[in-house]
Amino acid sequence: MLPIPLSFDRVMDGQPITSSLLIFRLPIELISHVTPYFSPTDLASLALVDRDCRQLARSIQFSNVRVDRGNDGFLEFLDLLEAESRDRKNAITPPAFTIGTCVQRVYTFHGSVKYLDKVCVVIRDALPNLRRLDWETMAVMSGEMIRCFISTPVKHLALRSVRVDDTFEVQRMGSTHPWALESLVLDVAWPTFDRVLSNEDTAQFIMSLLYPAAPTLSDFVWAGRVGQSYAHSLPESPPLFPNLRNLTLDTLRIDKVMLSALLGPQSGVTSLTTDVFYQETDSFLKSRGCLPSLTHINWATESPSDHSSMISFIGNNTQLQSLTTTCELPSSTLDGCVMPLLSRFRELTTLQLTWAGDHICSESLRLIGSIVTLKHLWLSAGPQPGWQINHTDFAEAFSSLTSLKILCLFRDTYATDVHAMPSAGHRTYYINRTLPQAVDVMQYLGAEDRALLDGARNSSDEELSRRGQILRRAWERWHRECMTAFSAQYAKRLPQMRWCYLGQIPFECYGDGKVAPAMTDRDETSYYLMELWPRVTGLSVYRSRGQARF
C-alpha cells in the first residue's frame, strides 16, 4: 500500500501556493487525503496546469522510488537529485518545486558498490522528507555508506542481506534532524563464514546503531545466521528500549545480557516472534517466566532442540491473545505438548498452527473446539499440499466456536476415485485435476465447451490439448462447487463466520449458511491468503529468512 503523500506545505518547502485550482481551496491537511484517488492519467494532466499542480502531482508520482541500476533513466534521475542537493546547499533560501522533497520511501536491491555509493549520497543530501528506506543488497557496505542512512530523518529503516567486511562504528553526521527511528530491520553479516569471527566483527557496528535507535524504536527485526559461531554481546551497559512493542529475533545468537535488555523485567514488548535455534535463547526463555505485557507469540523457526523451553515460555504466558507458528512443528510437539496447554488460556482469540505431519488427531481438534474465545483460526498440516480433510468431522469439532470469524484451512487436499495411475492420490489432487468417475463432465461445461468436446474426435496434439483444457475447466467448476458446499457447512454452524478459506479458495460468509467465493480463480500462490490474514487479524505474516518478512 502506498503511503499517504506528504502534507502539501512540506512538499512546497515553505513556498506560497498561487494556483487557482479548486483543490487548493481545501484545508491543506486534507489535500494529501484526496490526491491518492487520482489515476496516473489524472496526474499527468494535473502536472500540466501550473507549477503548484505539477508539484502536487509529483508528491504522488515520486513518493516511492525504486532503485533500478539497469535503467539509464534512473541514473539521470540521480543526477537531477544531486543537482537539487547542490542548489539547496548553495542557496540562501531553499529551492522551490524540487522532486527530492516529494520522496518518502526508497527501495533498493543489488547494484555495484560504486553505483550504490552514489545512491547513498543522494539519500543523505537530497531527500529531506524521506521516511522509509528499504535497503536489500548483497554488496559489501562501507561505514560511510551506512552513515548516510542514519544522517537522514528516516523513521523506518530496513537493512536486509547487508554485508560488511570491516569493523566500524556509525554516527550521525551533519544532520539537523533528531533521529527518532520507529522501526528497524537489521540483517547484517560478514560476507562468508570462512574467516573465524570475533565478537567485535559486527557487534561494534550493530551496537553503535542500536544505542541511538533504542529510545524511540517500537518495531525491531534482528536476523542472524544458522551456524553463527559467536553470540552478539554488549561491551558495556545495554541500551534501553522503553517503546519497543514488536520484536522479531530470527535465528539470532545473542547473549543473556542483550536478551535481558530486550525482554527483561522492564520490557513492554507485546508481540514476540522468535525461535530456540541457539542455546542462549533456549536457556533464556526456559527461565524467563511470564512477560505481562506480551499478547502475541509467533514461533517462527524449527530448531534442533526438544522445544521444551519454548513450550515452557508459552505455558507461562497464559494471558496471550494470539499464538501462531509459522514453522512446521512435529505432531508430538503440537498434539502432546502445546495443545494441552491451551485449555488454560482464557483470552486467546487468534490461533495459527502448522503440523509437520499430514494429520491432526481428533483430540487436538476437540481441544481447539473447546477454546470458545477464538475469533481467528488457521490450521495447516503436511507438505504442500498434503493434508486430507474430512470437513464433516472438522465442522462438528468446531461447532462450539460461536465467536469464530475467520477460518483458514491451508494445504488441504482431497482424494477422488479416479482410474488407477502411478501419480493418482490426494497429493496430486491439484496437479492432475481429474474428475471422479461418477461425475458427469457435461454438468460442468458450458454450451461452447460441450460442442468443442463433442467435436474433438481425432488424437492430434492440438485436439488433445484442447480436450485437456476443457476437462480442467470442468474440474475447476466441480472443485469450486464442492468447496462452496463445505464452506456452507461451517457457515451454518458458526453464526459469526465472515471468511472461510479452503481448497485454495477464499469465501465470504453472509450468515444462515450463505457463502460466495471471493475471487474467480483458485488462490494457487496463496497471495490472497497472505494479504487477508494480516488484514483481518492485525498480525503480520512473518517467515524466516528466504521467505516473506513484514
Side-chain angles (χ1 to χ4, degrees):
M1 181 178 177
L2 297 179
I4 295 175
L6 292 164
S7 176
F8 190 58
D9 55 342
R10 296 181 62 183
V11 174
M12 292 292 284
D13 230 359
Q15 298 294 322
I17 299 172
T18 59
S19 176
S20 60
L21 197 69
L22 291 177
I23 192 173
F24 294 114
R25 296 184 184 179
L26 290 171
I28 199 162
E29 62 271 15
L30 295 183
I31 294 175
S32 60
H33 291 271
V34 174
T35 49
Y37 294 97
F38 291 177
S39 69
T41 303
D42 294 334
L43 294 175
S45 300
L46 180 66
L48 299 176
V49 177
D50 55 37
R51 292 191 305 173
D52 291 348
C53 292
R54 181 181 64 186
Q55 192 69 352
L56 181 59
R58 283 174 168 179
S59 70
I60 306 168
Q61 295 167 327
F62 294 99
S63 63
N64 284 264
V65 172
R66 175 171 173 152
V67 174
D68 185 355
R69 67 182 176 127
N71 187 337
D72 292 337
F74 187 79
L75 291 176
E76 296 177 5
F77 179 62
L78 286 180
D79 291 337
L80 174 61
L81 292 176
E82 278 191 312
E84 288 184 355
S85 174
R86 288 193 298 270
D87 291 343
R88 181 179 294 274
K89 288 180 179 179
N90 298 329
I92 298 176
T93 58
F97 308 107
T98 62
I99 293 177
T101 58
C102 301
V103 178
Q104 290 189 78
R105 178 181 180 180
V106 173
Y107 171 71
T108 183
F109 66 102
H110 305 308
S112 66
V113 173
K114 181 179 178 181
Y115 176 75
L116 293 180
D117 186 69
K118 184 173 184 176
V119 175
C120 291
V121 173
V122 165
I123 287 172
R124 182 191 64 196
D125 297 338
L127 310 179
N129 293 318
L130 185 66
R131 290 295 174 266
R132 182 179 294 273
L133 173 59
D134 292 293
W135 191 274
E136 186 170 359
T137 174
M138 297 295 289
V140 174
M141 303 287 292
S142 68
E144 186 58 36
M145 295 170 75
I146 295 178
R147 289 185 192 101
C148 289
F149 301 160
I150 68 171
S151 298
T152 69
V154 66
K155 299 286 188 183
H156 309 278
L157 175 62
L159 301 176
R160 293 187 171 97
S161 303
V162 169
R163 301 292 181 266
V164 295
D165 63 357
D166 195 7
T167 59
F168 56 84
E169 292 185 1
V170 291
Q171 295 178 346
R172 304 194 78 210
M173 305 293 292
S175 175
T176 59
H177 312 277
W179 203 39
L181 198 66
E182 296 175 10
S183 70
L184 174 64
V185 177
L186 191 57
D187 178 7
V188 180
W190 215 258
T192 69
F193 287 108
D194 296 338
R195 170 180 168 180
V196 177
L197 300 179
S198 67
N199 263 357
E200 290 73 28
D201 280 323
T202 56
Q204 187 177 3
F205 154 62
I206 289 173
M207 294 309 158
S208 69
L209 184 66
L210 286 184
Y211 276 103
T216 56
L217 205 59
S218 62
D219 296 80
F220 184 20
V221 176
W222 193 356
R225 292 291 184 279
V226 174
Q228 185 174 322
S229 59
Y230 65 92
H232 287 290
S233 62
L234 291 168
E236 50 188 273
S237 60
L240 300 178
F241 297 85
N243 294 298
L244 188 61
R245 297 297 178 264
N246 302 301
L247 175 63
T248 295
L249 304 175
D250 178 8
T251 53
L252 180 69
R253 191 171 189 180
I254 55 178
D255 67 5
K256 183 178 179 180
V257 176
M258 191 69 233
L259 283 165
S260 296
L262 295 166
L263 294 169
Q266 79 292 343
S267 175
V269 167
T270 59
S271 176
L272 174 63
T273 292
T274 189
D275 53 63
V276 286
F277 201 91
Y278 287 111
Q279 188 271 333
E280 290 84 357
T281 307
D282 184 89
S283 297
F284 180 84
L285 292 182
K286 185 174 291 186
S287 60
R288 176 59 186 87
C290 179
L291 183 57
S293 61
L294 198 60
T295 60
H296 171 226
I297 291 178
N298 177 30
W299 190 341
T301 306
E302 171 66 302
S303 63
S305 74
D306 62 2
H307 304 141
S308 61
S309 59
M310 182 66 84
I311 294 167
S312 174
F313 183 62
I314 292 171
N316 287 327
N317 287 272
T318 57
Q319 80 283 359
L320 290 180
Q321 296 175 18
S322 61
L323 173 64
T324 60
T325 63
T326 47
C327 64
E328 298 174 357
L329 293 173
S331 297
S332 58
T333 297
L334 288 175
D335 295 332
C337 301
V338 175
M339 293 310 307
L341 287 177
L342 297 185
S343 61
R344 296 158 42 194
F345 289 66
R346 296 291 179 262
E347 301 178 52
L348 197 67
T349 59
T350 301
L351 183 63
Q352 178 181 356
L353 299 175
T354 302
W355 275 255
D358 58 2
H359 175 70
I360 301 177
C361 71
S362 58
E363 178 62 13
S364 288
L365 291 179
R366 185 192 67 78
L367 289 170
I368 293 171
S370 68
I371 309 172
V372 295
T373 53
L374 281 180
K375 295 181 179 179
H376 317 112
L377 177 60
W378 170 321
L379 298 178
S380 177
Q384 173 64 23
W387 176 33
Q388 194 170 347
I389 293 181
N390 184 319
H391 286 290
T392 301
D393 293 345
F394 273 59
E396 178 65 29
F398 299 157
S399 59
S400 297
L401 302 180
T402 54
S403 297
L404 197 67
K405 296 182 178 180
I406 310 296
L407 175 62
C408 296
L409 301 176
F410 188 49
R411 295 184 178 179
D412 53 326
T413 187
Y414 305 88
T416 54
D417 55 340
V418 298
H419 60 82
M421 54 180 156
S423 61
H426 66 274
R427 295 193 187 279
T428 59
Y429 175 77
Y430 296 106
I431 299 173
N432 293 333
R433 289 177 285 175
T434 304
L435 287 169
Q437 294 182 11
V439 173
D440 181 6
V441 66
M442 292 301 180
Q443 294 181 20
Y444 299 95
L445 296 178
E448 184 177 350
D449 280 343
R450 288 192 193 120
L452 289 172
L453 191 62
D454 287 339
R457 299 303 183 189
N458 60 57
S459 57
S460 68
D461 290 344
E462 183 178 353
E463 287 292 344
L464 290 174
S465 175
R466 183 182 296 116
R467 179 181 176 84
Q469 292 173 8
I470 293 171
L471 293 177
R472 282 191 290 274
R473 282 198 293 270
W475 180 88
E476 293 286 357
R477 295 183 183 116
W478 169 81
H479 172 74
R480 179 173 295 255
E481 181 182 275
C482 292
M483 297 304 111
T484 301
F486 291 144
S487 61
Q489 285 187 42
Y490 295 106
K492 287 177 182 178
R493 290 176 176 266
L494 306 172
Q496 298 298 318
M497 181 84 72
R498 293 296 172 263
W499 289 90
C500 183
Y501 186 98
L502 50 88
Q504 300 182 348
I505 302 175
F507 291 91
E508 292 185 72
C509 307
Y510 302 101
D512 298 326
K514 296 178 181 178
V515 299
M519 56 190 301
T520 55
D521 299 316
R522 280 185 296 118
D523 184 30
E524 293 184 77
T525 63
S526 308
Y527 178 83
Y528 190 98
L529 176 59
M530 297 306 173
E531 292 287 318
L532 170 67
W533 182 253
R535 175 159 50 87
V536 297
T537 63
L539 300 175
S540 297
V541 178
Y542 180 85
R543 296 293 185 269
S544 58
R545 181 174 288 100
Q547 298 176 310
R549 286 206 181 103
F550 80 86

